[in-house]
Amino acid sequence: MGSNETNESPWVVKQEQIDRFFDRVEKRRASAAFIQGPHACGKSTTMMAHILSQAQAKVPGASVVYILPSSVECAVLRRYLASDEFNKELPAAIANDIATELPENYTLPAGCLLITHYKQMLEWFSSNGKKFPFGNRAVIAMDIETNPTADGEILLGRILEWASSCFEVENPAAAVMVISPFASPRTEWILDYLVRRKPDVIRIPEGANPPIKFTPMGEPWEEDVAKMVIEAMRPNAARGCRTIFGVTSLRDLMIRHDIEALGKSADPNRVAAFINEEGAILLENYFQYSLPVNDLHSFVSEDSLRGPHFDLGTFQMIRVSRRKNRAEILREQSWLLKSRVARENVVFYTTRASSRFEDLPDIEPSGTAYAADIYWTLLRLVGEWPSKSFTSMPVRRVPIAAAGIEIVNRLVFLGCMTHSGSGCMLTQKGSDVLMIKRCILPDVDFHVACLIASASHRANTQRPNVMRVIIRLAALLQVGIGNVYRKVDMAKQPSVDEVQRMCKGAGASLARKGALWIALGLWQAAVHTGKKALGSYITDGLYRMAFPAEWLMINPAAMQKARNIVGALEAAYGLQPFVDGEELSATELTGEEVMFIERELLSAYRHNLVVVSSDVQTSPFDAVSFQDVKIGGGEILNIRDECEEGGLCLAIYSQLAMRGSDYFVHDVTAIPGDLLKEVDKDTGVRIADSIASTMTSES
């Protein structure tokens, strides 16, 4: 695609090594190569055209499939490789060799290039009985992700499993080429392990063009970014001077100036036009790829990002700020490499103090697959390869082995999987949890899905009101309680009576228990009159923050998102709808029903427990790690008030965060301690045993 490099593509110096790889494909039966090259070196364009020509000449009858992480990349690249602009530069045009669709029987014409993406390829595997859909003669090129996902881990495993099986079939020619902008020892190891020989490692050098230099911003950099935002959105500013902001901590500033965000849910048919129409764009964290943008002159990069991380100090998933690593910074710079603007005229601003590229952490990214989504990744791996040990699965190894062991133990104790053979297999609950993610809420949090799946089975002996309330609590947890409401900074703490007056329904009577019930009460107060209730918060076509009390800020847009989730879940679980105005009567609860719901919350969030003392001199502590924690500053009520004098109380939390050296629990909700024995009885596992981490068990 478009680039501001003027010299021959850097990959060409490795053309002979690529050709030698193809010389041996037929003889080896199954072959693998790992190609590492910098961004904008021609890997996905002219090198891919050369790979196609080599496959056509040396692997007769083979299909060629190029797999990209996203459907957006796939659509943009497919159009570019078929364009006259690209083909006129090639020794032999390939436009007529690009397959535009896949036949129903998966029979690709030999020598054709099919460009597809991860999710589509996984669907083809699934609909073909988890078997490789294109026979035993194929060349597969696959881009690995800068931010590895569960989809990517599973897809690479399926492809390598196919390549390994080709040693046992007649007339095979399986070639797997894994393409990456960074070194990946984990990938090289699994290629060696499954293809039974060391892969051909082809490392493409940097091109002759000078690298893009860092331009550090001064302190406080927020003021400089604010000025750049205003400048970028001036009338006619888009003409010849576009800017991309990778500064998500200033999202509110971007929204106020009508800068739209580009995220993973971008429409493939719209994104190319979108990025070339806007004068400025906010790039979401973990955006996987870069695209050509006309007149892109500058990129503003935030040095750090805040996100989930498995913390070996607590054996918990925590939210923490970390510096971006080298692979992430190079991915951001690649937007400028693909600009039509001359290399010497583009600027890469960074909020970091140093301009030395060498100071960047140079580590192989583990991505969301083994951070925020580690529960999902391990659960899906067991679903794909039941009864196999993780070390015998055809997948890359878990980056932090201790984290993998800990989460597998938790999944067993939560009843999502059980030991089987040399590994594990899914239980019915585990399958139900995955079904929620696959069919109802693709972005659902694991613990939220666990709550819904467990409660849906147990609630069949309860009134529909119980499941309705569980669904509402799940929706609020999914959106994030801190996104639904927040205590105004520096405001005095309200009394329980003041909070209850702002709430409606079951949440009002239970508000003293803390964050989750307060969220329910505030949400029901906003929506209980019917479908149009939240419309009163809309001005100029947008939801605006509301301040119904001097100490309270609510977010109607987040409440609407929760309402949409409630609708999807109620439809999925067959709960009968009710007419406008019946929200409160349809969700009223008895004391026993409240206890049932609290028992389900405790069971699902058993690894997110904090113990609080009525004594202010005694620090709360995380029940898994015994690590002292602090209660987050956004809590409206003091959870200590729920503790009996001189005693302890138990609470669940939805998030553990770290700032500096301190740990903070957020969205704290008190749970009756005497429910512990009931959960033990219901699950057949003592909570004390199930929450003991591998760390605390060994110490």
Side-chain angles (χ1 to χ4, degrees):
M1 288 179 279
S3 170
N4 53 17
E5 292 204 14
T6 56
N7 298 325
E8 186 178 61
S9 294
W11 74 267
V12 174
V13 301
K14 295 294 181 177
Q15 179 175 324
E16 184 178 339
Q17 195 173 354
I18 293 172
D19 294 352
R20 286 200 304 270
F21 170 79
F22 276 98
D23 289 340
R24 298 190 287 263
V25 167
E26 286 279 6
K27 179 181 178 181
R28 286 179 169 176
R29 302 173 69 85
S31 308
F34 179 77
I35 302 177
Q36 179 193 346
H39 292 283
C41 71
K43 298 189 300 295
S44 61
T45 54
T46 50
M47 188 183 81
M48 190 52 55
H50 183 71
I51 286 172
L52 176 61
S53 69
Q54 285 288 298
Q56 290 170 334
K58 298 176 181 178
V59 195
S63 304
V64 182
V65 183
Y66 185 24
I67 311 169
L68 297 161
S70 80
S71 58
V72 174
E73 285 177 284
C74 180
V76 172
L77 182 64
R78 190 186 294 127
R79 282 195 296 269
Y80 181 69
L81 295 190
S83 69
D84 291 339
E85 175 191 1
F86 175 68
N87 279 270
K88 68 183 181 183
E89 303 295 331
L90 297 176
I94 66 168
N96 294 331
D97 294 328
I98 297 175
T100 56
E101 58 184 26
L102 183 69
E104 289 185 6
N105 62 358
Y106 303 113
T107 304
L108 278 174
C112 275
L113 172 63
L114 175 67
I115 303 172
T116 187
H117 54 92
Y118 283 17
K119 284 193 179 298
Q120 181 65 78
M121 196 71 190
L122 284 170
E123 287 174 10
W124 288 336
F125 265 108
S126 179
S127 60
N128 198 42
K130 296 187 178 180
K131 296 179 181 178
F132 184 72
F134 305 124
N136 296 319
R137 296 184 65 81
V139 175
I140 306 298
M142 177 179 174
D143 279 8
I144 60 172
E145 303 158 297
T146 308
N147 171 36
T149 62
D151 278 354
E153 299 298 299
I154 292 169
L155 179 57
L156 181 59
R158 284 290 174 206
I159 289 170
L160 293 179
E161 190 175 47
W162 159 73
S164 182
S165 72
C166 285
F167 288 107
E168 316 302 330
V169 300
E170 186 177 346
N171 192 31
V176 178
M177 309 182 81
V178 179
I179 303 171
S180 170
F182 53 86
S184 177
R186 291 172 60 230
T187 305
E188 291 184 37
W189 185 90
I190 197 65
L191 291 175
D192 182 4
Y193 176 69
L194 288 172
V195 186
R196 308 181 193 179
R197 64 169 57 86
K198 287 190 176 298
D200 289 31
V201 178
I202 302 170
R203 304 199 192 278
I204 300 169
E206 296 283 347
N209 289 275
I212 295 173
K213 294 182 179 179
F214 284 5
T215 302
M217 304 181 78
E219 293 285 354
W221 55 263
E222 291 88 349
E223 294 180 7
D224 290 335
V225 172
K227 292 176 183 176
M228 295 175 72
V229 167
I230 294 170
E231 178 65 22
M233 297 308 290
R234 283 190 306 105
N236 300 322
R239 295 180 182 176
C241 192
R242 300 181 195 276
T243 302
I244 293 179
F245 293 95
V247 189
T248 54
S249 66
L250 298 183
R251 181 186 304 277
D252 289 347
L253 171 70
M254 307 290 172
I255 292 173
R256 288 199 302 273
H257 288 85
D258 297 322
I259 293 180
E260 294 193 43
L262 181 61
K264 63 180 181 179
S265 59
D267 180 356
N269 299 314
R270 174 81 182 100
V271 68
F274 165 71
I275 61 177
N276 284 294
E277 289 170 357
E278 299 293 324
I281 297 168
L282 172 63
L283 199 66
E284 298 281 11
N285 286 338
Y286 303 111
F287 197 79
Q288 289 274 27
Y289 51 89
S290 58
L291 298 168
V293 181
N294 294 332
D295 303 320
L296 178 63
H297 276 254
S298 55
F299 192 108
V300 184
S301 170
E302 191 166 11
D303 179 42
S304 62
L305 54 81
R306 191 166 182 81
H309 167 75
F310 190 85
D311 176 43
L312 290 174
T314 59
F315 266 49
Q316 292 283 47
M317 194 64 67
I318 66 171
R319 287 190 65 82
V320 65
S321 292
R322 66 166 177 83
R323 294 185 65 189
K324 289 177 180 173
N325 58 48
R326 186 174 299 189
E328 290 166 330
I329 293 293
L330 289 174
R331 181 185 62 205
E332 291 181 331
Q333 284 194 339
S334 69
W335 286 87
L336 296 175
L337 295 175
K338 296 175 182 178
S339 170
R340 301 287 187 178
V341 178
R343 180 75 62 89
E344 62 270 17
N345 293 331
V346 297
V347 185
F348 186 82
Y349 295 100
T350 175
T351 64
R352 64 199 305 268
S354 170
S355 62
R356 284 171 46 84
F357 180 79
E358 294 77 11
D359 293 341
L360 289 169
D362 188 13
I363 56 175
E364 181 179 358
S366 57
T368 56
Y370 293 107
D373 289 343
I374 188 169
Y375 283 94
W376 290 117
T377 301
L378 298 179
L379 197 63
R380 288 182 62 187
L381 290 177
V382 167
E384 293 288 330
W385 291 282
S387 302
K388 278 195 170 187
S389 67
F390 283 92
T391 55
S392 64
M393 291 179 185
V395 297
R396 300 190 293 182
R397 297 296 172 254
V398 179
I400 303 175
I405 294 169
E406 174 68 17
I407 300 304
V408 168
N409 285 340
R410 292 185 186 184
L411 287 166
V412 171
F413 282 127
L414 286 166
C416 292
M417 61 172 68
T418 185
H419 294 293
S420 172
S422 59
C424 293
M425 64 183 295
L426 296 182
T427 61
Q428 183 60 53
K429 179 179 177 180
S431 297
D432 291 345
V433 166
L434 284 175
M435 182 278 296
I436 293 169
K437 184 173 181 64
R438 186 173 58 251
C439 302
I440 308 174
L441 300 174
D443 294 324
V444 68
D445 173 79
F446 170 77
H447 291 93
V448 170
C450 215
L451 170 65
I452 298 167
S454 176
S456 65
H457 285 288
R458 300 179 195 273
N460 55 13
T461 60
Q462 304 286 329
R463 291 191 303 155
N465 294 33
V466 173
M467 194 61 194
R468 287 195 184 103
V469 172
I470 287 172
I471 281 174
R472 281 151 178 75
L473 296 176
L476 292 165
L477 286 163
Q478 176 63 29
V479 172
I481 293 173
N483 293 325
V484 173
Y485 76 85
R486 201 177 306 164
K487 180 175 172 288
V488 174
D489 291 341
M490 308 304 292
K492 70 176 183 65
Q493 181 181 315
S495 67
V496 173
D497 286 343
E498 287 177 296
V499 175
Q500 288 179 323
R501 284 197 294 271
M502 302 303 302
C503 297
K504 294 285 186 184
S509 60
L510 298 168
R512 59 183 173 76
K513 290 177 176 281
L516 186 52
W517 293 109
I518 293 173
L520 177 64
L522 292 172
W523 185 82
Q524 290 196 305
V527 307
H528 76 279
T529 58
K531 294 183 176 64
K532 297 181 180 179
L534 286 171
S536 61
Y537 295 101
I538 296 179
T539 59
D540 301 328
L542 298 172
Y543 283 107
R544 303 295 183 187
M545 290 292 187
F547 297 84
E550 62 181 10
W551 47 268
L552 176 64
M553 176 172 64
I554 63 173
N555 182 350
M559 288 184 167
Q560 181 61 51
K561 187 174 181 181
R563 171 181 256 173
N564 294 340
I565 293 172
V566 167
L569 288 171
E570 287 190 335
Y573 286 95
L575 291 174
Q576 288 190 343
F578 46 83
V579 299
D580 277 1
E582 292 186 355
E583 166 72 27
L584 301 183
S585 61
T587 56
E588 63 182 358
L589 300 171
T590 66
E592 288 187 359
E593 289 169 339
V594 171
M595 293 287 280
F596 176 90
I597 292 170
E598 289 180 316
R599 189 164 56 243
E600 293 300 323
L601 286 168
L602 177 57
S603 182
Y605 284 83
R606 69 180 66 187
H607 296 103
N608 291 30
L609 292 177
V610 60
V611 180
V612 182
S613 169
S614 63
D615 181 3
V616 295
Q617 301 301 316
T618 302
S619 293
F621 63 88
D622 172 56
V624 168
S625 62
F626 304 121
Q627 172 69 49
D628 285 352
V629 299
K630 297 180 179 181
I631 306 297
E635 307 296 319
I636 285 180
L637 295 178
N638 188 344
I639 200 68
R640 290 184 191 275
D641 295 341
E642 276 295 288
C643 302
E644 295 182 5
E645 186 174 351
L648 301 173
C649 63
L650 191 67
I652 61 171
Y653 61 84
S654 68
Q655 186 183 116
L656 180 63
M658 190 176 190
R659 296 183 187 88
S661 59
D662 294 327
Y663 293 92
F664 294 83
V665 288
H666 293 277
D667 307 333
V668 179
T669 304
I671 295 288
D674 54 10
L675 286 180
L676 289 171
K677 290 183 179 179
E678 292 193 31
V679 173
D680 292 349
K681 182 180 178 181
D682 282 350
T683 61
V685 179
R686 290 179 64 242
I687 282 235
D689 294 333
S690 68
I691 67 172
S693 71
T694 51
M695 175 184 70
T696 55
S697 298
E698 293 170 359
S699 59

